[in-house]
């Protein structure tokens, strides 16, 4: 395992990956820790900010191109841009089940699921984890 391929990648790839690692950690803690307190809210806003940073930066990552500079993963980015602001609004309107469901799905599909695809051969994270 070597961070060399990631650190030598062009911007915004290193920032995107760093935000994704941070979101994995913060989101995992959010899922494990008690809900509804101040810590949960503060960490939740941090997680939402990280997710928006990940999503916005993804539009400048264009190694895989299907339609112009975009790939199917950019459809997920658009979905995340819509869902990330919706999820906290569910909590503010006391729709706890909708909030929980949206946050868990975002964590599992937008972070873990999309992250698994970065481990495919030929991708930078594959080189980081498994070597060249």
């Amino acid at each position: 395992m070597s961070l060399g391929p990631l650190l030598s990648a062009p911007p915004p790839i290193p920032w995107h990956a760093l935000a994704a690692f941070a979101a994995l950690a913060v989101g995992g803690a959010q899922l494990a820790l008690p809900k509804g307190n101040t810590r949960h809210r503060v960490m939740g806003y941090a997680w939402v900010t990280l997710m928006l940073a990940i999503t916005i930066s993804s539009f400048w990552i264009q190694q895989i191109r299907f339609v112009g500079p975009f790939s199917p993963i950019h459809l997920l980015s658009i979905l995340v841009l819509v869902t990330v602001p919706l999820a906290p609004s569910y909590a503010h309107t006391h729709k706890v089940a909708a909030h929980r469901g949206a946050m868990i799905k975002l964590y599992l599909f937008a972070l873990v699921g999309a992250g698994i695809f970065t481990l495919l051969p030929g991708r930078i994270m594959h080189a980081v984890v498994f070597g060249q």
Side-chain angles (χ1 to χ4, degrees):
M1 186 157 150
S2 169
L3 290 176
L6 180 61
L7 297 177
S8 64
I13 293 171
W15 310 327
H16 178 84
L18 179 62
F21 292 138
L24 277 169
V26 171
Q30 282 290 78
L31 293 173
L33 293 171
K35 314 295 184 266
N37 55 29
T38 302
R39 178 184 58 213
H40 179 77
R41 284 185 208 93
V42 170
M43 288 176 67
Y45 284 119
W47 190 78
V48 164
T49 302
L50 288 166
M51 289 299 292
L52 290 173
I54 294 163
T55 304
I56 292 166
S57 68
S58 76
F59 290 104
W60 282 268
I61 300 173
Q62 302 169 346
Q63 275 72 21
I64 300 171
R65 298 170 180 240
F66 283 126
V67 178
F70 302 111
S71 71
I73 195 72
H74 292 108
L75 294 174
L76 176 63
S77 296
I78 292 167
L79 180 63
V80 171
L81 277 177
V82 171
T83 308
V84 164
L86 269 179
S89 74
Y90 291 144
H92 289 293
T93 56
H94 306 287
K95 298 175 183 170
V96 177
H99 171 71
R100 181 184 308 113
M103 289 300 197
I104 290 171
K105 287 173 188 161
L106 280 166
Y107 186 82
L108 291 176
F109 297 118
L111 270 177
V112 176
I116 289 170
F117 283 105
T118 68
L119 297 174
L120 291 172
R123 306 294 308 269
I124 292 170
M125 290 310 296
H126 182 274
V128 168
V129 175
F130 303 110
Q132 294 292 351

